[in-house]
Amino acid sequence: QVQLVESGGDLVQPGGSLRLSCAASGLSLFDYAIGWFRQAPGKEREGVSCIGSSSDRITFYADSVKGRFTISRDNAKNAVFLQMDGLKPEDTAVYYCAADWSPGCTMLAKKYDYWGQGTQVTVSS
């Protein structure tokens, strides 16, 4: 059974940092593009960042997080990370990771085959 599990969400003050993790069981993230999405209350889900499979060295960042967030993978741990620095109140949302078998890297949510349950990130003073 395939399962993606996000962790690392927390309450943090503006300007702070968090590192989200996406761990997988039942599939090797090495072969998948991984995307991070977020959904704030009352808003639509939006793409945050994605990284291509290990053989496809590509990354993408939404304009709203470019320069503040960094996506990376650790194949030995079968995990993908989202380092979030310079957090702002508008970053508050539930963050989801998702796995996509397709080549490249996309922020089109419907392309993703597997999704985690999400982790809450709250940025507030």
Side-chain angles (χ1 to χ4, degrees), residues 15-120:
S17 297
L18 284 174
R19 188 193 194 208
L20 303 185
S21 299
C22 175
S25 59
L27 84 166
S28 172
L29 294 184
F30 180 95
D31 297 319
Y32 286 78
I34 304 300
W36 283 97
F37 295 80
R38 67 186 181 186
Q39 188 164 21
K43 294 188 176 181
E44 293 187 356
R45 180 174 50 189
E46 64 169 336
V48 174
S49 179
C50 62
I51 185 167
S53 69
S54 294
S55 61
D56 190 355
R57 296 179 181 270
I58 184 173
T59 58
F60 173 84
Y61 298 93
D63 287 343
S64 58
V65 306
K66 199 172 295 182
R68 300 188 297 122
F69 290 10
T70 304
I71 192 169
S72 63
R73 59 167 71 240
D74 185 330
N75 292 328
K77 296 182 178 179
N78 201 28
V80 172
F81 306 100
L82 185 69
Q83 178 66 39
M84 306 189 297
D85 299 315
L87 283 162
K88 305 175 181 179
E90 51 264 43
D91 294 319
T92 296
V94 177
Y95 284 70
Y96 302 89
C97 69
D100 171 24
W101 178 253
S102 305
C105 168
T106 177
M107 290 280 82
L108 201 57
K110 66 180 182 180
K111 293 285 288 181
Y112 284 80
D113 305 299
Y114 304 104
W115 289 81
Q117 294 299 307
T119 185
Q120 177 70 48

